[in-house]
Every structure is written in C-alpha cells, then in structure tokens.
Amino acid sequence: MCSAEAQQVRPRHILPLLVIAQFLGTVNWLAGNAIMPALQTDWGLPVSAVASLTNSVQIGFILGCLVFALIALADRISPRLLFVLCAWGSALLSGALVLFADSLDTLLTLRFFSGVLLAGIYPVGMKLAASWFPQGLGRALGYLVGALVLGSAAPHLISGMLGDNWQQVILAAGGASVIAGLLILLGVPDGPALYRGTPLRWHALVLALRHRPWRLAASGYFGHMWELYAVWAFAPIWLQAWSQQQQTDLNIGLLSFLILGSGCLGCIAGGNISLRTGSGPVAKVMLILSGLCCLLSPLAFQLSFWLVMLFWFVWGVSVSADSPQLSSLSAQTAPLEVMGSALTLMNCLGFTLSVISVALLSAMIDVIPVHWLSWLLLPGPILGIICLNRLRSLEFENAH
C-alpha cells in the first residue's frame, strides 16, 4: 500500500496509543536505578553498584537487539505480537525480582533479562510507528523517543512517592508493562506500510561502514550515547552530593524524574522543529547545550537550589532531544539495501559505548568529586558536533 493510502486509512488513535504504550513499556528500563537508594540501605550496597545495575540492563538490551536482528524475529512474527509478549514477559520478571531477589547477583541477572525483553519493546515500537507513518517519521520518532525518556524517568517519580518501599516501585513498573501490552494488543495492529526486512547480514555492515554520510551520522549518535545514560545514571548521585554539601533534604526521586523527564519535552519540540529546519541543526544545537552543561557542572555545583534546577532542566532537555534527530539522520543516510543491518549496528555500538561511559564514571567516583565527573563525558558532545559539521560540509559539496 502506498504512503498516501496508508495516511488515509490510519486511525487517529494510533500515534497516541503507540506513545502511551512506549512510555509504559519502558518504565522498567531504569527501575533498578530508582530503587538503588533503598537497596543501599536494605542490602548495604555501595554507590558504585549503580553502574552494575545500569549496565546489566544495557548489556541485555544490546544482546537482545543482536539476537532479534540475527533471526529477524520482528519479521518472522507480528511486531505487534512481539511487543505484547516482551512487555508481559517484562512484567513477569518484575514479579520475580520482588519474590526472589535477595542479593545483588540475583538482581543483576533479572535486570539483564529485562534488558533483553526491552529489545522487543523500544525498537519494535519504532517499527510499528514506521509501519503507520511512512511519511513524517522524524516527528513520530520525536514523540516515541520522548515517551522512552519519560518512561525511563517515571520510576524515579514512583520512588519519590513511595519512599523506601522498593518492592512497590518494581511492581508498579511491572504493572505499567502489562498495560502497555494490552494497549498494543487491543488498539494498535501492524500498519499497512509494514516493511519486512532481512536478517542481520555481516557483509552489509562493511558496506554501511564504507558509506561516509552514514558513518558521520552514526558517529554523531555514538557521541550522544557516550553522554546520555551516564548523565541519567549519575544525576541522582550529583543531586545527593549537592544536598549533602548544602545540608538540605531533597526528594531525589521526584527531582530526578523532573530532570530526566524534561527530555521528553525536548524530543517532542525538536521533532516539530526538525520539520522546518531538518534534523541536523536540531541535533547540533542540543549537543552544544549538553556539552556546555558537562563543562559547567563544577560551577553549577556551587549555585543555589533554583539555579541548580534550571541548570539540570537545560541538561535534561538537551541530553535527550538530539536522540530522535540523530536516529533520523542515520536512517536517512544509510544505504537503502542495508538499512536494517546498519541501524542495528548503530544501536548496538551506541549502547555499548553507554556501558563503557557508565562504568568509567563508576570507577572514578571515589577518585574524582561527583560534580567533576561530567568532564569525562565531554568527548561525546564534541565528537557529535564535529561529525555533524563534516556531514553538513559533505552534503554541501555533493549539492554543488
């Protein structure tokens, strides 16, 4: 079915349901981070355990993406059905965590498998969106990535409301996954423009890497990923350190939700602006802003509460808002015949970099003051800006 026909038959509820399901389905992503303060009290875990908890999910997601791509799982069965099964499987793992987790090793194992199942939620939600929005996908991705950002932030809000009851936080995340699956099952069928891809082809990766426009766009995404999850993982720790220095009590869970969740606004606003300016300028401005926040973190640590909140609002918006635009640029520049394999490679390498950056910050947390750790993230935005400038120059040369 052509795109014009797809537009005519698309029900108006499709995008809202997709966005809500994506939001609810990704609440489980950083649920482990949100309960870390309570686990530190109950289990005596060190602050550095936040890296292991974050990276267990990330590594599971990476391996899940690779396995799903190798066997073309989202092409062998309905993407809608795959989303539902993974969402409900994620809910079962949440229940298992509450019932059986009594040590860090058990917790990390269950969080790893949660990451594997997220590979059937976040990317598959994108595939469903593409099947309904063959035109204007950049704007739809802005809403969907915004939903991911808000979903990732939501456990901090739940934790802020429930306090030290970490079991209820995990059960709430599991309940959100159940509802996400129901929304997709009952309200979002596979779209009329559903693309049936091919399994991951290793030789196609070589072709993609030789294609300079895609290589530059993907490298910009890598710079973004070096910073993103490290900022998300360490924002609560930064706030806790500031609170202790100021000798004031803060609701870290609530403030972390507001900071991380602000990225949702950036993703949606950036998606709409990109319709007029293109994805490149939006991504570049956001990388500049987030890079400046990395640089100014030590100065911000000396500011008053409301200025600290303003600083973190800017950082929360900018560190997330470039994500859908860099993904869109990578899709636009990838060779059509290897697009699926190229984007799988990009996501796996990007999330691998996030594992390394989170581990690096964790290793240095006892060596470098928390508010100086962000300087280790500066290479990410700098790389992204350089690559986008080179991509812009290459496009100008090809146009003339």
Side-chain angles (χ1 to χ4, degrees):
M1 181 178 291
C2 70
S3 61
E5 292 171 329
Q7 175 69 25
Q8 290 175 358
V9 301
R10 184 176 67 232
R12 298 178 65 179
H13 70 267
I14 291 295
L15 183 57
L17 284 185
L18 268 172
V19 169
I20 296 171
Q22 188 85 304
F23 160 65
L24 294 172
T26 54
V27 167
N28 204 24
W29 202 310
L30 293 184
N33 297 65
I35 65 173
M36 177 54 70
L39 292 180
Q40 286 176 296
T41 301
D42 290 359
W43 295 0
L45 299 180
V47 175
S48 58
V50 70
S52 300
L53 201 53
T54 303
N55 286 341
S56 61
V57 180
Q58 301 295 80
I59 293 169
F61 179 78
I62 294 165
L63 292 180
C65 285
L66 279 174
V67 170
F68 286 13
L70 281 170
I71 62 177
L73 188 58
D75 299 311
R76 295 177 182 273
I77 67 174
S78 160
R80 164 176 166 263
L81 179 60
L82 180 59
F83 186 107
V84 172
L85 292 176
C86 287
W88 289 352
S90 180
L92 288 175
L93 285 175
S94 295
L97 195 156
V98 170
L99 290 174
F100 304 115
D102 55 3
S103 67
L104 182 59
D105 288 342
T106 306
L107 176 64
L108 294 180
T109 300
L110 291 171
R111 295 303 295 159
F112 167 82
F113 286 108
S114 293
V116 172
L117 292 177
L118 282 166
I121 296 174
Y122 174 45
V124 174
M126 297 292 189
K127 186 179 180 73
L128 278 172
S131 75
W132 282 105
F133 297 89
Q135 304 297 323
L137 181 58
R139 178 172 175 267
L141 288 183
Y143 283 102
L144 286 173
V145 176
L148 163 68
V149 172
L150 195 61
S152 299
H156 290 288
L157 174 62
I158 299 170
S159 177
M161 295 170 61
L162 298 178
D164 294 333
N165 196 328
W166 64 267
Q167 294 93 340
Q168 289 189 17
V169 175
I170 294 298
L171 289 175
S177 297
V178 171
I179 297 171
L182 281 173
L183 289 176
I184 296 297
L185 180 66
L186 300 177
V188 185
D190 296 332
L194 179 64
Y195 172 71
R196 296 290 179 183
T198 57
L200 180 65
R201 296 173 292 163
W202 297 110
H203 70 276
L205 303 182
V206 177
L207 177 60
L209 289 170
R210 288 177 177 172
H211 189 64
R212 192 178 178 214
W214 179 82
R215 194 168 67 245
L216 289 171
S219 296
Y221 177 81
F222 297 152
H224 154 75
M225 289 298 290
W226 176 259
E227 180 190 13
L228 178 65
Y229 278 90
V231 170
W232 283 3
F234 281 86
I237 298 173
W238 194 104
L239 291 171
Q240 186 65 48
W242 182 90
S243 172
Q244 291 172 354
Q245 176 185 272
Q246 300 293 323
Q247 297 182 343
T248 182
D249 290 330
L250 295 178
N251 188 326
I252 302 298
L254 176 60
L255 293 178
S256 298
F257 166 75
L258 293 175
I259 290 166
L260 273 63
S262 65
C264 174
L265 302 176
C267 290
I268 293 172
N272 285 291
I273 294 171
S274 70
L275 295 176
R276 299 189 297 273
T277 67
S279 293
V282 175
K284 182 178 176 180
V285 169
M286 294 300 109
L287 284 167
I288 291 172
L289 286 175
S290 64
L292 285 173
C293 290
C294 286
L295 184 65
L296 297 175
S297 172
L299 176 62
F301 200 76
Q302 309 305 320
L303 298 176
S304 64
F305 173 77
W306 289 111
L307 289 177
V308 163
M309 289 300 100
L310 177 61
F311 167 79
W312 271 104
F313 175 79
V314 173
W315 204 352
V317 168
S318 59
V319 77
S320 300
D322 48 358
S323 187
Q325 304 314 316
L326 290 166
S327 296
S328 181
L329 275 176
S330 299
Q332 293 167 21
T333 54
L336 288 176
E337 64 273 22
V338 296
M339 181 185 294
S341 296
L343 295 181
T344 298
L345 173 66
M346 184 191 77
N347 278 296
C348 290
L349 289 179
F351 277 88
T352 300
L353 283 171
S354 76
V355 169
I356 296 172
S357 66
V358 170
L360 174 62
L361 263 62
S362 177
M364 300 303 293
I365 199 168
D366 293 326
V367 180
I368 301 174
V370 169
H371 48 288
W372 287 93
L373 285 173
S374 61
W375 279 29
L376 299 174
L377 304 179
L378 267 172
I382 291 172
L383 172 65
I385 293 166
I386 291 172
C387 291
L388 289 183
N389 283 337
R390 290 181 178 175
L391 179 60
R392 178 72 172 173
S393 298
L394 182 62
E395 291 172 344
F396 183 79
E397 290 171 7
N398 292 338
H400 294 79

